[in-house]
């Protein structure tokens, strides 16, 4: 029986059902708490292949097991204090990673990069709270100017650390989810040729007649380990010149651009620019093999035919969407809105606490702000979260893991 099996020892055998041998397998029993979930866990290692695994799964279900709910094993590990909530979220990100950088960021969080930083922040807030509470017990001593300056700096430094981490969400989201880039511009500006050159294979129809692309075409690529979705849209021209179907395509392209991380406004090298760059819009010059750009003219010069400027454009896109941190923005970054919101909230409470200490306000008021900051940070690691939030978080998992 199972009771006689050695802990963490592979046993060789066969799975049989109704006298029919299904597969030869390895079976291992990992008794809690030395398992991922902290509970007793059994694993059956069979041969790969969808049909074979399905057969083994049906056999296990027939014996009394059930399918795991989304994220159930990870939730059990969290509830049994084997991992904190940042590590649980990292597992979902690992499963869903679509690029090498997304995977590396998730692995850093799974290793505890964010959780360790947050725990250090919590320890600092608890220590500062204890110092201020000591002043309540001995009010006759009062705070010296040096002590008040020190405590103000501690609270401000912690607040800034929280806000810096929260600000990394922009980079973390892009590293996790990838980049959404839309090509727009006038008809026959060379968008589709540039799109195909960036994709590396022909996805958009390229022709000399204006208005070839009628709606938009998408393609997924990976640049420097980062997932990028490129979208080629219908060329822009006056609505009076566009057919009704083409006009709808132009509107669809405009709507798609509004959802994107970055819009590339494509214009032929020899033409005048009638728009300015912005944080979400970059000017790209196409067909630089046919006409040279004027000195000082804005935009990155490219040629889909000769491959000129393509690598420069790719790097510029990644730098723009990551704030210039496309090479180094890995490690301790915030990758979801839940973490960002609580870090910003903690930063706000700590800033308020610093102001109260600086003004020599009653210590009780400062402690209220510090406790609120500590609670926000504790929610990041999962010390103080409700079942409703956990249900929503683990519902993100697409599989039982």
């Amino acid at each position: 029986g199972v009771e006689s099996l050695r802990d963490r020892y592979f046993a060789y055998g066969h799975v049989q059902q109704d006298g029919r041998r299904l597969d030869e397998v390895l079976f291992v029993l990992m008794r809690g708490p030395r398992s991922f979930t902290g509970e007793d866990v059994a694993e059956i290692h069979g041969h790969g292949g969808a049909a074979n695994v399905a057969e083994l799964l049906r056999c296990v279900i027939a014996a009394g097991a059930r399918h795991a709910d989304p994220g159930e094993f990870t939730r059990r590990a969290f509830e049994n204090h084997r991992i904190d909530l940042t590590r649980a979220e990292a597992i979902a990100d690992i499963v869903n990673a679509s690029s090498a950088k997304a995977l590396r960021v998730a692995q850093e969080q799974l290793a505890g990069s964010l959780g360790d930083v947050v725990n250090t922040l919590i320890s600092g807030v608890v220590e500062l709270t204890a110092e201020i509470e000591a002043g309540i017990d001995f009010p006759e001593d009062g705070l010296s100017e040096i002590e008040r300056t020190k405590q103000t700096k501690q609270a401000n430094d912690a607040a800034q650390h929280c806000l810096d981490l929260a600000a990394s969400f922009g980079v973390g989201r892009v590293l996790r989810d990838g980049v959404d880039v839309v090509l727009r511009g006038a008809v026959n500006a060379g968008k589709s040729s540039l799109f195909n050159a960036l994709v590396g294979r022909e996805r958009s129809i390229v022709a000399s007649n204006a208005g070839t692309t009628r709606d938009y075409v998408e393609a997924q690529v990976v640049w420097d380990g980062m997932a990028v979705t490129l979208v080629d849209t219908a060329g822009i021209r006056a609505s009076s010149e566009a057919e009704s179907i083409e006009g709808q395509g132009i509107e669809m392209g405009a709507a798609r651009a509004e959802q994107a991380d970055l819009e590339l406004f494509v214009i032929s090298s020899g033409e005048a620019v009638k728009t300015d760059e912005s944080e979400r819009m970059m000017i790209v010059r196409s067909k630089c093999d046919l006409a040279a750009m004027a000195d000082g003219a804005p935009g990155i010069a490219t040629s889909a035919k000769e491959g000129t400027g393509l690598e420069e454009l790719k790097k510029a896109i990644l730098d723009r969407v990551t704030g210039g941190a496309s090479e180094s923005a890995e490690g301790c970054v915030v990758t979801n809105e839940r973490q960002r919101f609580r870090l910003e909230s903690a930063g706000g409470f700590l800033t308020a606490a610093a102001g109260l200490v600086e003004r020599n306000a009653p210590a009780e008021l400062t402690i209220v702000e510090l406790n609120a900051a500590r609670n926000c940070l504790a929610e990041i690691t999962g010390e103080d979260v409700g079942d409703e939030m956990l249900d929503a978080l683990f519902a993100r998992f697409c599989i039982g893991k």
Side-chain angles (χ1 to χ4, degrees), residues 345-363:
S345 299
F349 289 127
L350 286 164
T351 299
L356 290 169
V357 173
E358 190 173 30
R359 296 192 300 273
N360 204 21

Side-chain angles (χ1 to χ4, degrees), residues 139-198:
E140 65 279 358
D141 295 340
L143 271 182
S144 69
E145 188 65 30
I146 294 176
E147 289 174 321
R148 188 160 63 248
T149 300
K150 175 193 169 190
Q151 291 179 0
T152 300
K153 185 177 185 305
Q154 284 179 306
N156 275 326
D157 287 350
Q160 191 58 54
H161 199 166
C162 289
L163 296 175
D164 287 344
L165 277 173
S168 73
F169 172 64
V171 175
R173 183 193 64 79
V174 166
L175 291 175
R176 185 194 68 186
D177 298 338
V179 185
D180 212 18
V181 180
V182 171
L183 284 72
R184 298 194 73 212
V187 293
N188 218 23
K191 297 185 305 303
S192 295
S193 295
L194 180 60
F195 173 87
N196 288 334
L198 291 171

Side-chain angles (χ1 to χ4, degrees), residues 269-346:
S269 286
E271 295 186 20
V273 178
K274 299 180 181 179
T275 186
D276 296 323
E277 284 198 346
S278 66
E279 185 179 348
R280 292 188 60 255
M281 196 272 283
M282 180 186 297
I283 295 173
V284 181
R285 298 289 196 148
S286 64
K287 308 178 184 179
C288 71
D289 56 300
L290 301 179
M293 283 176 58
D295 291 341
I300 297 175
T302 66
S303 168
K305 181 179 180 181
E306 297 182 354
T308 305
L310 298 183
E311 294 305 314
E312 179 187 355
L313 177 57
K314 292 176 184 178
K315 185 178 186 306
I317 290 170
L318 297 183
D319 284 347
R320 176 69 68 88
V321 298
T322 62
S326 60
E327 295 296 328
S328 60
E330 297 178 35
C332 189
V333 294
V334 171
T335 57
N336 66 58
E337 182 65 30
R338 185 189 76 85
Q339 297 166 353
R340 182 204 65 79
F341 175 75
R342 282 158 178 78
L343 282 164
E344 281 192 348
S345 299

Side-chain angles (χ1 to χ4, degrees), residues 27 61 63 72 105 112 148 178 185 203 215 221 317 339:
F27 181 92
I61 297 298
E72 181 169 352
V105 169
R148 188 160 63 248
R203 291 290 305 274
D215 42 29
V221 294
I317 290 170
Q339 297 166 353

Side-chain angles (χ1 to χ4, degrees), residues 36-334:
F36 173 68
T37 64
E39 305 165 327
D40 291 347
V41 174
E43 291 184 358
I44 299 173
H45 296 245
H47 290 92
N52 188 59
V53 171
E55 282 280 334
L56 292 176
L57 184 57
R58 279 193 290 270
C59 182
V60 171
I61 297 298
R66 65 169 174 81
H67 290 279
D69 293 329
E72 181 169 352
F73 286 100
T74 304
R75 181 165 185 168
R76 289 186 181 211
F78 166 72
E79 291 177 339
N80 290 325
H81 309 291
R82 296 288 292 170
I83 58 174
D84 68 16
L85 210 50
T86 64
R87 290 172 171 85
E89 289 171 314
I91 291 171
D93 290 342
I94 287 172
V95 171
N96 296 318
S98 58
S99 70
K101 284 195 172 181
L103 181 59
R104 285 199 293 271
V105 169
Q107 291 284 10
E108 286 285 345
Q109 282 212 3
L110 182 59
S113 61
L114 179 61
D116 290 345
V117 170
V118 171
N119 282 327
T120 299
L121 283 167
I122 291 173
S123 297
V125 172
V126 170
E127 181 181 332
L128 180 57
T129 304
E131 287 182 16
I132 294 174
E133 284 177 337
I136 297 175
D137 295 332
F138 304 99
E140 65 279 358
D141 295 340
L143 271 182
S144 69
E145 188 65 30
I146 294 176
E147 289 174 321
R148 188 160 63 248
T149 300
K150 175 193 169 190
Q151 291 179 0
T152 300
K153 185 177 185 305
Q154 284 179 306
N156 275 326
D157 287 350
Q160 191 58 54
H161 199 166
C162 289
L163 296 175
D164 287 344
L165 277 173
S168 73
F169 172 64
V171 175
R173 183 193 64 79
V174 166
L175 291 175
R176 185 194 68 186
D177 298 338
V179 185
D180 212 18
V181 180
V182 171
L183 284 72
R184 298 194 73 212
V187 293
N188 218 23
K191 297 185 305 303
S192 295
S193 295
L194 180 60
F195 173 87
N196 288 334
L198 291 171
V199 172
R201 59 187 184 277
E202 189 165 314
R203 291 290 305 274
S204 280
I205 299 172
V206 178
S208 58
N209 56 301
T212 303
T213 305
R214 292 303 181 100
D215 42 29
Y216 60 80
V217 180
E218 293 191 10
Q220 282 73 43
V221 294
V222 176
W223 296 342
D224 191 27
M226 188 179 298
V228 179
T229 298
L230 288 171
V231 184
D232 181 25
T233 63
I236 303 169
R237 60 174 163 177
S239 58
S240 59
E241 300 176 8
E243 301 173 10
S244 59
I245 295 178
E246 186 179 346
Q248 292 175 23
I250 294 171
E251 292 178 5
M252 290 172 64
R256 188 66 178 81
E258 290 180 1
Q259 303 168 3
D261 296 296
L262 184 65
E263 175 185 342
L264 303 184
F265 191 83
V266 183
I267 184 170
S268 297
S269 286
E271 295 186 20
V273 178
K274 299 180 181 179
T275 186
D276 296 323
E277 284 198 346
S278 66
E279 185 179 348
R280 292 188 60 255
M281 196 272 283
M282 180 186 297
I283 295 173
V284 181
R285 298 289 196 148
S286 64
K287 308 178 184 179
C288 71
D289 56 300
L290 301 179
M293 283 176 58
D295 291 341
I300 297 175
T302 66
S303 168
K305 181 179 180 181
E306 297 182 354
T308 305
L310 298 183
E311 294 305 314
E312 179 187 355
L313 177 57
K314 292 176 184 178
K315 185 178 186 306
I317 290 170
L318 297 183
D319 284 347
R320 176 69 68 88
V321 298
T322 62
S326 60
E327 295 296 328
S328 60
E330 297 178 35
C332 189
V333 294
V334 171

